[in-house]
Amino acid sequence: MLKKRILFFSILLTMVLFFSLAGCSARTPISADEFSKQAKDLGFTVTEQSATNTAVVKYLQADDSKTQTQLIFITFKTESDAQTAYTSVKANVSQGTGAKTTTLDSSSYNKFTVVNGELNYTIIRMNDTLLYGKANSGHQNQVDDFVKAAKY
């Protein structure tokens, strides 16, 4: 009887763990309006930018003039366009010696962070969107707070 209970609870625990972790990878990109609202809620000034790239659908920039922290949100026509932009931005910010980086890649989600001297960069591609954050080391929490609020 004790062995059956242990087996039952082991199976139950395994199932709970499996289903709770399975939901972690399901992410949904935010819209431009959601980006604007969440950035304003965190004290950023949001402006719409014009893009010369024809693959760009919407390009928003959020700035905190006090801390010089910047967020950029771009929606592309296709996931492929977003992936190309992610790769390009990643190559640009990771140049230099001594840069400390972390990378997480999957088919619909990429996240790259780099600390290059006093500057911290966060680049996230989710489906057809790209989120770029740049902050001084003392203010990286602003970018992290936005990423958490947007569930990126």
Side-chain angles (χ1 to χ4, degrees), residues 71-107:
L71 298 169
I72 294 174
F73 179 79
I74 304 172
T75 303
F76 292 90
K77 290 181 180 177
T78 67
E79 285 189 36
S80 176
D81 293 332
Q83 182 67 49
T84 300
Y86 168 81
T87 302
S88 176
V89 173
K90 179 180 169 182
N92 286 335
V93 300
S94 61
Q95 292 177 354
T97 58
K100 185 175 115 179
T101 65
T102 61
T103 305
L104 174 64
D105 290 324
S106 73
S107 61

